[in-house]
Amino acid sequence: MTENLTGTKPGWNFDNSYARLPEAFYSLVDPSPVRAPKLAVFNEPLAASLGLDATVLQSEEGTAELAGNRVPEGAEPLAQAYAGHQFGYFTMLGDGRAILLGEQLTPQGERMDIQLKGAGITPYSRRGDGRAALGPMLREYIISEAMHGLGIPTTRSLAVVDSGQTIIREEMQPGAVLTRVAASHLRVGTFQYAAARGEQDDLRALADYALQRHYPEATNTENRYLALLQEVIGRQAALIAQWMLVGFIHGVMNTDNMALSGETIDYGPCAFMDRYDPATVFSSIDTGGRYAYGNQPSIAAWNLARFAESLLPLLHEDEEEAVRVAEEALAGFSEAYERHWIAGMRAKLGLFGEEAEDPALIGDLLKLMHQHRADYTNTFRALTFETLEGEPLFGTPAFAEWQKRWQARRGRQAESPDASRERMKRSNPAVIPRNHRVEEALEAAVREGDYSVMHRLLAVLACPYAHTTEQADYAALPPESPRPYRTYCGT
Ligand code: AMP
Ligand code: MG
């Protein structure tokens, strides 16, 4: 890193371990240059944590690297091969518009994928143009950084570069390149790809690579591939519980969008729920509601079953035994999920310890919220500060009854009311990226080139548990609209 001291180099410290996997897993391909790259947003704190020089990266030369116009020193650009079940149907896919530059070895000793999304055609582009539109890339930037602020494992966004090129979607749109930072881009679909090809040595190499990269402690266990399966199940159980606890709806939980690392990945038609309703769907293409809010835990379990299937040849030489251990591991998902979720719900209600009645207490509140169309985030926020107004729910006798039970439960714990409230403040965000606020920020940026609205939103979302007065504005619901909010995959 000494060269970094001169301030003329961005501080790239690439290794390219993925490129040392068997050839079938990738295609070497350089990003395609764009016409007139202009930096749209840049994440200085993230750059610093990666050991990168923010000033150099924001210069013309740095922007050229983030646009894909110049390959950074030490990078070995490639597109990853993978498969996936999309809405239940199996397809061979691969990075059709994303290019992995390499893995940045950070000053903290981490290994982080640096990927350019929207960087041009690859051998996996099929009929796509390899490009991304500015609006959706800014949207990924906002939501992924909001998830990070909420303390939920996620890929992050280092920068968005406006490409200075128009791309054709339903209408002409400005193009962009997003720099995505991830613990890795290994997906359930990467394993499905290896399993579908049927080369067991390749599958084993991939599994060993995933173990080494994400679960090194599991490498020395008796059956390390079973340990891999169990670890991935455990991390997904924790992740999905965290989504559910903040009302996040991913929107496209295809198996190619489920990361082995346990990070949230691929922000397409995702959005946060306003009024509590398990049937909430925002994505325009999810007409069957497959990826509705309330379905996310069972869809995760379904995806993990596909992961387990792809690992079968490694789990045991006897196929029946392999299936048995896989099923046993998969059975652990719902138990782990419930455990994380109930613990999170107790924290949201300021409860310490465990009582047998807790699940009913939690379930009854959610039922009332559903019945009275209560805003998910604001209801818990109101409970936290005991400012019980703004929701019709709070005026009902049924809620008064529930509130008595809740107070009695809190009264039975040794911890002080202050400790209980502190717990609630840490567990109930004051703000989430409300859809109308995100839209407003994107409108200003894309249509008027005014990024100030987006920067204000990002600042508020960076500290969602601060509970400051400035946040109050961002907690408000959109005006009631006859048309439900829709998100589009047209990316
Ligand atoms: P996603 O819905 O973003 O997870 O993408 C699903 C698949 O479609 C991935 O293999 C992407 O690389 C590919 N894809 C999406 N958009 C494009 C595009 N504009 N050009 C080429 N491939 C794309
Ligand atoms: Mg994807």
Side-chain angles (χ1 to χ4, degrees):
M1 289 266 157
T2 43
E3 64 216 29
N4 209 8
L5 295 175
T6 64
T8 57
K9 295 203 173 189
W12 294 118
N13 185 24
F14 279 118
D15 186 37
N16 303 279
S17 66
Y18 192 89
R20 297 194 284 274
L21 278 171
E23 279 177 6
F25 288 113
Y26 59 88
S27 300
L28 294 177
V29 53
D30 280 350
S32 309
V34 298
R35 192 175 308 136
K38 210 174 122 227
L39 199 57
V41 263
F42 187 80
N43 194 333
E44 292 197 24
L46 178 58
S49 76
L50 291 166
L52 296 169
D53 185 318
T55 313
V56 178
L57 265 181
Q58 291 177 91
S59 72
E60 205 179 311
E61 287 95 83
T63 302
E65 295 185 339
L66 298 171
N69 285 20
R70 192 163 95 177
V71 175
E73 199 177 314
E76 272 181 55
L78 59 84
Q80 296 182 329
Y82 51 85
H85 273 93
Q86 299 188 300
F87 290 88
Y89 298 97
F90 186 76
T91 323
M92 289 302 224
L93 297 160
D95 287 330
R97 56 165 172 173
I99 290 176
L100 178 70
L101 294 179
E103 302 130 31
Q104 171 77 356
L105 304 179
T106 74
Q108 294 82 249
E110 296 162 318
R111 176 184 293 270
M112 301 302 286
D113 272 13
I114 307 291
Q115 190 202 61
L116 301 182
K117 187 169 174 180
I121 300 274
T122 77
Y124 314 107
S125 294
R126 295 176 290 171
R127 260 164 292 168
D129 61 359
R131 294 300 186 189
L134 180 60
M137 293 307 100
L138 294 176
R139 195 165 189 282
E140 169 154 352
Y141 189 108
I142 296 170
I143 313 271
S144 63
E145 287 307 301
M147 290 293 266
H148 176 73
L150 286 163
I152 299 176
T154 177
T155 64
R156 296 192 62 190
S157 302
L158 179 63
V160 175
V161 174
D162 183 333
S163 68
Q165 279 175 204
T166 322
I167 61 169
I168 303 163
R169 292 295 179 260
E170 261 148 40
E171 50 190 36
M172 303 291 267
Q173 288 195 33
V177 179
L178 169 84
T179 306
R180 181 155 76 178
V181 180
S184 88
H185 285 83
L186 295 172
R187 310 139 190 272
V188 165
T190 320
F191 282 78
Q192 291 182 287
Y193 169 83
R197 292 183 66 256
E199 299 288 336
Q200 237 190 83
D201 288 346
D202 288 0
L203 178 65
R204 188 179 300 272
L206 182 67
D208 284 332
Y209 180 76
L211 272 163
Q212 195 185 42
R213 199 149 170 194
H214 298 300
Y215 308 98
E217 344 62 62
T219 315
N220 296 322
T221 50
E222 197 183 312
N223 184 344
R224 63 180 190 272
Y225 304 115
L226 177 59
L228 174 64
L229 175 60
Q230 288 164 333
E231 292 286 348
V232 172
I233 289 171
R235 279 208 204 164
Q236 285 296 330
L239 178 68
I240 309 296
Q242 292 195 70
W243 290 1
M244 299 302 281
L245 289 164
V246 298
F248 175 74
I249 304 169
H250 184 285
V252 251
M253 287 178 71
N254 295 333
T255 55
D256 54 304
N257 293 338
M258 184 180 257
L260 269 273
S261 64
E263 287 181 341
T264 310
I265 191 168
D266 245 339
Y267 291 87
C270 61
F272 283 71
M273 174 173 66
D274 292 313
R275 303 179 188 289
Y276 177 73
D277 182 353
T280 307
V281 175
F282 290 116
S283 170
S284 62
I285 58 166
D286 191 5
T287 47
R290 179 182 170 92
Y291 300 137
Y293 172 75
N295 285 353
Q296 296 186 122
S298 56
I299 284 291
W302 191 88
N303 289 350
L304 290 164
R306 307 289 79 76
F307 179 50
E309 272 165 16
S310 70
L311 285 178
L312 282 178
L314 304 180
L315 291 179
H316 203 279
E317 54 203 28
D318 176 62
E319 207 186 310
E320 260 178 52
E321 181 59 12
V323 170
R324 198 191 63 75
V325 297
E327 280 177 350
E328 199 176 282
L330 289 167
F333 174 81
S334 57
E335 191 199 317
Y337 168 76
E338 286 295 330
R339 189 160 35 77
H340 288 296
W341 184 80
I342 207 104
M345 274 294 171
R346 283 195 177 101
K348 285 175 88 70
L349 290 174
L351 306 181
F352 293 91
E354 296 176 10
E355 282 193 14
E357 307 284 286
D358 291 348
L361 185 71
I362 295 160
D364 290 346
L365 173 64
L366 292 176
K367 243 180 264 163
L368 287 173
M369 285 166 65
H370 189 191
Q371 249 168 41
H372 295 278
R373 309 184 66 232
D375 181 77
Y376 183 77
T377 305
N378 288 355
T379 298
F380 283 103
R381 192 170 179 263
L383 290 175
T384 303
F385 296 100
E386 291 173 73
T387 47
L388 299 178
E389 50 200 41
E391 292 293 336
L393 162 73
F394 297 139
T396 65
F399 176 77
E401 196 63 32
W402 179 87
Q403 197 185 4
K404 264 191 230 144
R405 283 162 64 200
W406 177 46
Q407 295 302 11
R409 168 66 174 84
R410 286 171 101 191
R412 285 193 295 276
Q413 60 197 16
E415 290 78 4
S416 70
D418 269 356
S420 175
R421 174 183 289 211
E422 279 313 307
R423 180 153 225 234
M424 292 182 77
K425 281 169 71 177
R426 281 195 307 272
S427 314
N428 295 308
V431 284
I432 49 161
R434 297 259 180 207
N435 300 317
H436 64 297
R437 288 299 200 167
V438 175
E439 290 303 319
E440 168 189 87
L442 297 180
E443 282 270 325
V446 177
R447 283 191 207 274
E448 279 125 56
D450 172 8
Y451 282 82
S452 64
V453 186
M454 176 166 164
H455 284 298
R456 278 199 299 277
L457 178 63
L458 285 169
V460 165
L461 294 172
C463 309
Y465 302 104
H467 298 281
T468 60
T469 44
E470 296 86 76
Q471 290 174 324
D473 242 12
Y474 290 85
L477 265 69
E480 193 86 49
S481 153
R483 276 177 305 130
Y485 181 69
R486 282 275 161 269
T487 53
Y488 296 91
C489 251
T491 51

